[in-house]
């Protein structure tokens, strides 16, 4: 460690450059991961907040929730198999406020305690609509129904397909969409039996049926993966170039009895110092971004997630530097000294 630190102090510039690059890459990775998590929650917070369980949809719907329909007969079959099953429906629509503005929402109706229950003629909205000047007790209209929906209250972080949720009563939902069939059944827990004519989905599988959800997450996660790969290549290339420049020094050290393992430990110590400093800065700045990001920016990065990514960076740095250090084990003292001009 002492030898590694002395060398870093002697060649500050090269190690500061490496540390700066690692800092920028790790910060960019954490920002993109935070956006991926934020978009994921903004896209499906309604489902993410539901306990782990099993979703049932009509098999003929081919994993499209808006094409699924569970009539009374099918619901009775599900209830016989799983008495505690809950049913709900989701439909995209819009509400018009008193000022004439239209707001895209996802109407949700359920028959049990899975979601908030409202009275006929009332609605509970996601709190993001408060930013659109909608207030409690305000009457909102919809072109598919005659009466108004009075805003009873607001709830935090309830969205579906990036649209704020509007919880409505069954009668109002039937009036708007002219159907008495629920779309989806849900059973909490893992031991959910198969039901003829229905497909079963876990929470994650059901979220992937949401339009754009899987494509959106795949794109952002692929960027994060490539940034990890780039960081590993960066470590490998940087330490390879440094090791090439230090061939003569390694030869001298080996000639005086320094073991290859000691030289590897010196390289690992340098990697650990650079990476740790860079990651402390990037984690700190990423957590600061969580606090200062605008409220309408879907950014979510917990300290635990940032710590896990930091651990991945350390492992990648260890692997990259180790691969580049293979040449250290191949150094022959006299040959290295001669090549170095000593």
């Amino acid at each position: 460690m002492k030898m590694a630190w002395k060398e870093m102090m002697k060649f500050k510039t090269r190690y500061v450059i490496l540390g700066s690059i690692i800092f920028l890459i790790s910060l960019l990775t954490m920002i993109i991961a935070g956006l991926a998590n934020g978009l994921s929650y903004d896209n499906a917070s309604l489902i993410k907040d539901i306990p782990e369980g099993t979703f049932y949809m009509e098999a003929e719907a081919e994993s499209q929730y808006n094409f699924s329909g569970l009539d009374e007969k099918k619901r009775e079959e599900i209830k016989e198999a799983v008495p505690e099953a809950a049913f709900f429906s989701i439909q995209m629509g819009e509400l018009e406020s008193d000022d004439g503005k239209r707001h895209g929402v996802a109407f949700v109706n359920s028959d049990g305690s899975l979601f908030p229950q409202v009275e006929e003629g009332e609605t509970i909205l996601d709190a993001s609509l408060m930013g659109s000047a909608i207030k409690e007790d305000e009457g909102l209209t919809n072109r598919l129904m005659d009466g108004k929906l009075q805003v009873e209250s607001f709830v935090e972080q309830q969205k579906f397909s990036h649209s704020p949720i509007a919880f409505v009563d069954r009668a109002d939902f039937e009036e708007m969409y002219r159907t008495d069939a629920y779309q989806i059944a849900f059973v909490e827990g893992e031991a959910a039996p198969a039901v003829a004519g229905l497909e079963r989905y876990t929470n994650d599988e059901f979220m992937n049926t949401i339009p754009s959800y899987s494509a959106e997450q795949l794109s952002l996660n692929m960027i994060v993966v490539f940034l990890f790969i780039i960081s590993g290549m960066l470590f490998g290339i940087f330490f390879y170039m440094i090791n090439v420049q230090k061939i003569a020094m390694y030869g001298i050290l080996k000639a005086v009895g320094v073991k290859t393992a000691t030289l590897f430990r010196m390289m690992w110590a340098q990697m650990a110092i650079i990476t740790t400093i860079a990651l402390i800065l990037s984690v700190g700045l990423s957590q600061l971004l969580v606090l200062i990001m605008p409220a309408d920016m879907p950014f979510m990065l917990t300290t635990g997630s940032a710590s896990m990514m930091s651990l991945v960076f350390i492992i990648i740095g260890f692997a990259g530097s180790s691969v580049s250090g293979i040449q250290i084990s191949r150094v022959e003292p006299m040959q290295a000294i001669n090549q170095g001009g000593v």
Side-chain angles (χ1 to χ4, degrees), residues 22 25 27 29 34 45 55 58 94 137 145 216 233 253 275:
I22 296 301
I25 291 180
L27 179 60
T29 304
S45 57
F55 294 83
E58 192 177 18
E94 63 178 30
D137 298 326
M145 61 183 299
E216 183 180 86
M233 294 175 62
L253 291 174
T275 306

Side-chain angles (χ1 to χ4, degrees), residues 296-310:
D296 56 351
M297 174 72 74
F299 187 84
M300 182 182 296
L301 183 66
T302 63
T303 305
S305 297
S307 299
M308 286 298 297
M309 283 189 287
S310 298

Side-chain angles (χ1 to χ4, degrees), residues 18-287:
L18 176 63
S20 300
I21 296 173
I22 296 301
F23 163 71
L24 292 174
I25 291 180
S26 59
L27 179 60
L28 179 60
T29 304
M30 291 181 187
I31 290 175
I32 294 176
L35 289 173
N37 291 336
L39 286 170
S40 172
Y41 195 72
D42 186 74
N43 202 344
S45 57
L46 178 77
I47 306 303
K48 284 180 174 289
D49 290 341
I50 294 178
E52 289 295 322
T54 300
F55 294 83
Y56 291 89
M57 285 198 297
E58 192 177 18
E60 295 180 357
E62 297 181 345
S63 299
Q64 299 185 58
Y65 72 90
N66 51 328
F67 291 158
S68 176
L70 306 178
D71 55 25
E72 185 175 354
K73 181 180 178 181
K74 185 62 68 175
R75 294 199 300 270
E76 289 178 357
E77 291 179 13
I78 298 173
K79 280 289 188 180
E80 289 179 3
V82 191
E84 63 274 17
F87 300 91
F88 66 98
S89 294
I90 306 172
Q91 285 288 357
M92 308 306 293
E94 63 178 30
L95 288 171
E96 186 173 335
S97 52
D98 292 336
D99 57 6
K101 290 184 178 180
R102 294 177 180 176
H103 309 274
V105 297
F107 289 106
V108 176
N109 166 255
S110 67
D111 72 334
S113 60
L114 194 60
F115 301 117
Q117 297 297 298
V118 293
E119 299 294 330
E120 185 176 353
E122 296 181 343
T123 182
I124 297 177
L125 302 176
D126 177 71
S128 62
L129 289 172
M130 294 176 67
S132 301
I134 295 178
K135 302 176 182 179
E136 286 191 26
D137 298 326
E138 181 177 348
L140 305 176
T141 58
N142 181 282
R143 290 180 296 176
L144 300 178
M145 61 183 299
D146 297 328
K148 288 189 174 183
L149 291 172
Q150 185 176 2
V151 180
E152 179 186 344
S153 61
F154 294 91
V155 289
E156 295 290 337
Q157 295 293 331
Q158 290 291 288
K159 290 189 175 183
F160 186 84
S161 193
H162 295 299
S163 296
I165 294 298
F167 296 103
V168 295
D169 179 69
R170 185 65 187 166
D172 294 323
F173 193 92
E174 289 182 7
E175 182 182 352
M176 285 188 286
Y177 296 103
R178 306 297 190 268
T179 177
D180 60 354
Y182 285 98
Q183 295 170 323
I184 306 156
F186 175 78
V187 179
E188 186 174 350
E190 298 181 358
V195 179
L198 300 181
E199 288 286 344
R200 291 180 295 179
Y201 302 84
T202 63
N203 290 51
D204 290 336
E205 289 171 344
F206 182 76
M207 283 189 289
N208 284 325
T209 67
I210 301 174
S212 80
Y213 180 86
S214 57
E216 183 180 86
Q217 290 302 298
L218 180 61
S219 300
L220 292 171
N221 289 332
M222 284 297 294
I223 295 174
V224 172
V225 170
F226 275 113
L227 286 172
F228 280 126
I229 294 173
I230 290 171
S231 66
M233 294 175 62
L234 177 66
F235 272 112
I237 293 171
F238 182 86
F239 279 101
Y240 176 82
M241 295 175 63
I242 289 181
N243 290 337
V244 168
Q245 296 173 3
K246 297 193 297 186
I247 290 293
M249 185 190 76
Y250 289 147
I252 294 171
L253 291 174
K254 281 194 171 184
V256 298
V258 177
K259 296 181 179 180
T260 301
T262 302
L263 298 177
F264 266 93
R265 284 196 294 271
M266 181 179 74
M267 182 179 62
W268 289 334
Q270 292 171 341
M271 181 278 300
I273 293 171
I274 295 170
T275 306
T276 300
I277 294 174
L279 289 175
I280 288 174
L281 293 174
S282 59
V283 170
L285 188 54
S286 66
Q287 292 304 299

Side-chain angles (χ1 to χ4, degrees), residues 245 247-249 334-342:
Q245 296 173 3
I247 290 293
M249 185 190 76
M334 291 308 299
Q335 182 181 0
I337 292 171
N338 290 335
Q339 287 179 354
V342 180

